[in-house]
Amino acid sequence: MRIDKDLVAASATPLVLGILAEGESYGYAILEQVNQLSRGRMQWTDGMLYPLLHRLERLGHVSSTWRVSEGGRRRKHYLITDSGRAALAERQAQWSVVAEALDQVWRGATGPVEKGWA
């Protein structure tokens, strides 16, 4: 299944902040976690993830530090900030509203439109 670009873009920030809310991580591990969480249905690329991480860092939602892995390779590790936790909470609230509305539509809920209120 191919997931529309607009949906991928809309979900990217809350996904990354949610992953980082679980603990510090680096780019490749974030990509792998998205792949795992989506059961292989969302396969992000470096070109999609790193601009997002840099934007989140500019906004103050994440901080970063360079670390050396056990194999001797330098990796930039990202950590969610208090501002990022607040942004995540706001995104969670927004997604809850959207998910609830979609659920009602897909279940065929009766509402204002059916009652002639539109």
Side-chain angles (χ1 to χ4, degrees), residues 8 12 27-28 31 43-55:
V8 171
Y28 180 76
L31 291 172
Q43 296 184 357
W44 290 1
T45 63
D46 292 355
M48 186 250 158
L49 176 64
Y50 288 105
L52 172 61
L53 286 168
H54 296 152
R55 183 175 61 81

Side-chain angles (χ1 to χ4, degrees), residues 4-55:
D4 186 74
K5 285 183 187 180
D6 292 338
L7 191 53
V8 171
S11 62
T13 294
L15 272 170
V16 169
L17 291 176
I19 288 168
L20 293 176
E22 297 295 318
E24 182 179 294
S25 193
Y26 56 95
Y28 180 76
I30 294 169
L31 291 172
E32 286 296 305
Q33 193 160 4
V34 168
N35 186 40
Q36 185 177 49
L37 289 168
S38 69
R39 290 182 235 139
R41 294 173 288 189
M42 294 174 67
Q43 296 184 357
W44 290 1
T45 63
D46 292 355
M48 186 250 158
L49 176 64
Y50 288 105
L52 172 61
L53 286 168
H54 296 152
R55 183 175 61 81

Side-chain angles (χ1 to χ4, degrees), residues 24 54 64-69 73-78:
E24 182 179 294
H54 296 152
S64 65
T65 55
W66 285 99
R67 303 197 193 247
V68 178
S69 70
R73 185 175 173 170
R74 282 179 29 112
R75 290 186 178 141
K76 195 172 191 180
H77 286 245
Y78 296 88

